[in-house]
Amino acid sequence: MQKFVSFNHRIRLVSKTNLSAISSAALFGKGVFTTIAIDNSEPFLWPKHWRRLTENANRLGIDLSDFSSELVRLSLTDIIKKNSLRTGRARLTFFDEKPSQIWSFKSPHKTSLLITTAEFRNVAEVRLTVSGFPVTSASPLVNIKSCNYLENLLAVEEARRRGFDEALRLNERGHITAGCLANVFWLKGNKIYTPSLKTGCLAGTMREFLLENFEIFEVEKPLTNLRKADGIFLTSAGLKIAEVKQFETRIFKPSKAFSKLEADFAKLLKT
């Protein structure tokens, strides 16, 4: 993370930025966020990210009435400029600061916005394993990128202790959902597959972008389909698209199909 952040539309030093300890965000993790890829100092897929933020906030009852797409986009531009970021990522987080019915404290704000920036995640090779922590597809948080992210972090930390970079999570029916920090796709023959949103996977903006521009089949499939795949790749704002080099004990050879996909994806970014 870089030296400055934007907090409620004001640029501040990281060390001078504080969230109320008695807010619903601090007490219960009530908040939503998104991570946006930055290319040439411009946010990639801004309309998709703003739409998801507002939809997710509405589902959790987080009040964004004091924020607009134009105002937030301007604050994002300001912090990108302040941190001299040309290529990297930005995270926008809306924190619910209203009192809850359980702990009723007074707060001067209904909602706070924090914008942070950083370089892209440096992942030369992605080693993927299977997590023992399932996703519950009927959870009220399913498909929401909320600040209640501890399950994902615990799963990826456990995978990293075993020498992997990411962990694939299955749902309660044994269907493939996603990685802890990224959406998952796989190649079989000349076809590309990704889990349906019905599995409980996150509706990633990079996932949506690929679905709009490539022929991809959304499916509900068990783990055996991934083990029989010709190739696997992950997508997120921090990774863009990243080929999996190792899945459990299996090592993948470089895939011509993925190389073509990656080249076509790069062309789309330039249009």
Side-chain angles (χ1 to χ4, degrees):
M1 191 163 65
Q2 297 178 306
K3 186 175 181 180
F4 296 97
V5 300
S6 172
F7 190 66
N8 291 332
H9 308 303
R10 294 178 61 188
I11 292 178
R12 304 180 182 186
L13 289 168
V14 172
S15 59
K16 300 295 183 180
T17 306
N18 299 292
L19 178 70
S20 170
I22 57 174
S23 65
S24 291
L27 292 174
F28 312 115
K30 190 175 181 183
V32 294
F33 76 96
T34 193
T35 303
I36 304 178
I38 307 298
D39 286 301
N40 295 318
S41 299
E42 291 291 328
F44 185 56
L45 302 179
W46 168 252
K48 294 183 185 299
H49 284 281
W50 180 251
R51 186 194 71 230
R52 185 175 67 183
L53 277 169
T54 54
E55 289 176 352
N56 286 183
N58 184 59
R59 283 179 61 183
L60 294 185
I62 299 172
D63 189 345
L64 299 189
S65 59
D66 291 337
F67 300 90
S68 67
S69 174
E70 294 76 15
L71 185 59
V72 174
R73 176 72 168 77
L74 181 60
S75 290
L76 176 57
T77 299
D78 288 344
I79 194 62
I80 289 170
K81 184 178 179 181
K82 181 68 175 180
N83 283 331
S84 302
L85 185 69
R86 284 192 55 78
T87 302
R89 55 199 162 111
R91 171 172 161 149
L92 283 72
T93 309
F94 283 109
F95 298 106
D96 190 325
E97 298 219 54
K98 299 190 305 296
S100 73
Q101 293 181 355
I102 301 172
W103 295 100
S104 183
F105 297 104
K106 290 183 179 181
S107 172
H109 304 289
K110 292 180 292 185
T111 308
S112 287
L113 169 64
L114 175 68
I115 307 177
T116 58
T117 63
E119 304 299 324
F120 278 123
R121 291 164 56 195
N122 185 18
V123 182
E125 293 187 352
V126 178
R127 295 160 297 177
L128 181 66
T129 188
V130 178
S131 173
F133 303 160
V135 170
T136 303
S137 62
S139 166
L141 293 179
V142 76
N143 297 147
I144 293 178
K145 200 158 187 177
S146 82
C147 293
N148 199 323
Y149 222 58
L150 189 56
E151 275 194 11
N152 298 65
L153 294 179
L154 290 174
V156 77
E157 286 172 1
E158 189 277 332
R160 288 172 179 173
R161 286 195 293 270
R162 293 191 282 122
F164 294 90
D165 304 297
E166 248 284 23
L168 180 78
R169 299 183 69 189
L170 308 177
N171 66 17
E172 75 280 7
R173 299 187 299 276
H175 292 151
I176 304 160
T177 64
C180 303
L181 306 175
N183 286 105
V184 63
F185 295 74
W186 65 94
L187 303 159
K188 186 63 179 177
N190 60 353
K191 294 183 179 180
I192 306 173
Y193 300 89
T194 196
S196 161
L197 295 181
K198 294 178 182 179
T199 63
C201 77
L202 181 70
T205 54
M206 201 66 74
R207 173 188 183 276
E208 182 180 335
F209 179 73
L210 288 183
L211 287 170
E212 290 172 348
N213 289 280
F214 297 91
E215 184 179 24
I216 298 173
F217 298 89
E218 296 181 82
V219 295
E220 296 178 70
K221 295 294 182 182
L223 185 58
T224 51
N225 284 64
L226 207 61
R227 289 187 170 136
K228 294 177 181 178
D230 298 327
I232 305 170
F233 64 95
L234 306 178
T235 66
S236 73
L239 291 172
K240 291 192 177 177
I241 58 174
E243 188 174 20
V244 171
K245 302 296 183 182
Q246 179 182 343
F247 178 46
E248 298 183 305
T249 59
R250 181 182 175 189
I251 306 296
F252 287 100
K253 295 179 180 179
S255 166
K256 291 182 179 179
F258 177 77
S259 295
K260 183 180 183 306
L261 174 73
E262 195 172 33
D264 291 341
F265 177 80
K267 290 177 184 176
L268 284 170
L269 296 184
K270 295 177 181 178
T271 59

